[in-house]
Amino acid sequence: MADKGKTNGAQTHKAMRDASHMPSEDEIRAFMDEAIREAANGLEEGGIPIGSVLVRNHKIIGRGHNRRIQFGDPTAHGEIDCLRATGRLRSYKDTIMFSTLMPCAMCAGAIVQFGIPVIIAGENRTFASSSDFMKSNGVTVIDLDLDECYEMLKGFAQEHPSLWNEDIGVEPE
């Protein structure tokens, strides 16, 4: 699980280990595997393969996947679906969002709005994300740069370019 220079490297991982609510590297992989399962669920439903889980105290408290196509809802991104499934919380300060794709502007806004302090993403290559926005608002942003997350979404984008472009807000030609 190389961070490939996408974060503050060793400093970020050290800070994560020093915080009692931060997962171990094995837990990070296990939680990301759950987000990947959510992405696969979305793909099986005919949707866009992006999945998320929200973690508190080393346990998943919410999960979701992109359901824009399935629900006909432009706001039903994976992170938003995960937050809806989690339900209301008094505070998100000790939670961690895992997502197979680095969040878009809408999802990054929700992360900042609710004070989720850490986002761990499977990849940040597929499109221009809002990682800088989250960082500038105090969110710790970690990109695992996992080929399996990238390949899943890249394959979908190649097979369904109009759906993918719709999802990321690109106007049809």
Side-chain angles (χ1 to χ4, degrees):
M1 179 169 43
D3 86 355
K4 299 188 182 184
K6 305 281 181 167
T7 65
N8 298 345
Q11 289 177 325
T12 298
H13 290 294
K14 181 183 182 323
M16 287 177 57
R17 285 191 301 272
D18 290 345
S20 63
H21 74 280
M22 296 305 295
S24 68
E25 286 198 21
D26 288 343
E27 288 175 310
I28 289 171
R29 184 62 224 201
F31 294 138
M32 184 54 66
D33 284 346
E34 289 299 315
I36 290 168
R37 279 193 240 327
E38 285 296 321
N41 290 344
L43 187 60
E44 288 174 17
E45 293 172 0
I48 297 166
I50 301 169
S52 296
V53 297
L54 191 65
V55 173
R56 173 182 269 162
N57 296 326
H58 309 275
K59 291 184 170 74
I60 294 173
I61 60 170
R63 55 179 64 238
H65 51 272
N66 187 303
R67 293 182 175 176
R68 290 185 71 250
I69 295 166
Q70 300 91 310
F71 292 172
D73 178 352
T75 67
H77 285 207
E79 297 87 348
I80 302 301
D81 189 53
C82 178
L83 289 169
R84 285 180 181 140
T86 301
R88 289 177 53 200
L89 300 178
R90 289 179 54 89
S91 172
Y92 294 81
K93 70 180 172 111
D94 59 349
T95 64
I96 302 164
M97 176 72 74
F98 287 79
S99 184
T100 57
L101 178 65
M102 192 67 71
C104 69
M106 178 179 67
C107 297
I111 289 165
V112 169
Q113 176 71 27
F114 293 117
I116 297 170
V118 179
I119 174 72
I120 300 177
E123 67 106 346
N124 192 27
R125 293 182 260 169
T126 305
F127 86 113
S129 72
S130 293
S131 61
D132 289 340
F133 167 76
M134 290 183 290
K135 287 177 191 176
S136 71
N137 282 279
V139 177
T140 298
V141 174
I142 299 169
D143 175 16
L144 300 177
D145 198 24
L146 298 174
D147 288 336
E148 66 188 294
C149 292
Y150 175 71
E151 293 298 328
M152 182 186 299
L153 205 44
K154 180 179 148 192
F156 178 87
Q158 288 173 341
E159 290 179 32
H160 308 282
S162 64
L163 291 176
W164 172 243
N165 287 335
E166 177 188 324
D167 194 62
I168 62 171
V170 173
E171 290 292 322
E173 296 179 7

